C-alpha cells in the first residue's frame, strides 16, 4: 500500500463499512471501519482499516460496566461470607460461655 511508504492525506474520515463494502473491500474485515486516503506522490486513492473512536469508547464503557457488575457480585459474596463467619464465631463463644 502506498500509505506505508509515502505521505498521505485522509480524504474521508473513519466510517463503518456498509455490508457491500465489507464483502468487496478487504480492509473492512479487521475492524469493520475504513478511511479513504490519498497518497501524495503516486496520487492514488486507497482504503485503510482504522479504529473508530466511538467504537473504542463503546467497548471501553462495556468493559467498565462488566467489571463494576463483577465487583458488586464479589462484594455481596464477601459480605455474606463475613456474616456466616461472624455467626460461627458468636456461636463458638456462646458455647464456651455455656460450658463454664
Amino acid at each position: 500500500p502506498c500509505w506505508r511508504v509515502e505521505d498521505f492525506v485522509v480524504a474521508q474520515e473513519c466510517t463503518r463499512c456498509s455490508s457491500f463494502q465489507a464483502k468487496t473491500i478487504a480492509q473492512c474485515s479487521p475492524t469493520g471501519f475504513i478511511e479513504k486516503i490519498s497518497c501524495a506522490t503516486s496520487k492514488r486513492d486507497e482504503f485503510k482499516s482504522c479504529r473508530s473512536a466511538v467504537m473504542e469508547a463503546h467497548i471501553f464503557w462495556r468493559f467498565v460496566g462488566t467489571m463494576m457488575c463483577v465487583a458488586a457480585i464479589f462484594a455481596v459474596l464477601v459480605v455474606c461470607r463475613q456474616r456466616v463467619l461472624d455467626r460461627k464465631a458468636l456461636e463458638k463463644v456462646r458455647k464456651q460461655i455455656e460450658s463454664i
Side-chain angles (χ1 to χ4, degrees), residues 19-63:
S19 60
F20 177 74
Q21 287 175 325
K23 293 175 186 172
T24 57
I25 301 173
Q27 289 82 4
C28 281
S29 58
T31 62
F33 289 84
I34 57 170
E35 62 185 358
K36 186 176 182 180
I37 58 171
S38 297
C39 294
T41 309
S42 62
K43 304 287 187 201
R44 291 188 342 193
D45 288 341
E46 291 188 5
F47 291 104
K48 176 182 169 190
S49 183
C50 61
R51 293 182 162 294
S52 168
V54 174
M55 178 187 71
E56 293 290 329
H58 180 71
I59 291 171
F60 171 76
W61 287 113
R62 184 185 303 167
F63 172 76

Side-chain angles (χ1 to χ4, degrees), residues 80-93:
C80 292
R81 178 71 177 150
Q82 188 63 46
R83 286 181 181 174
V84 168
L85 291 175
D86 287 345
R87 266 191 241 117
K88 285 183 179 180
L90 287 173
E91 186 65 27
K92 187 175 180 180
V93 169

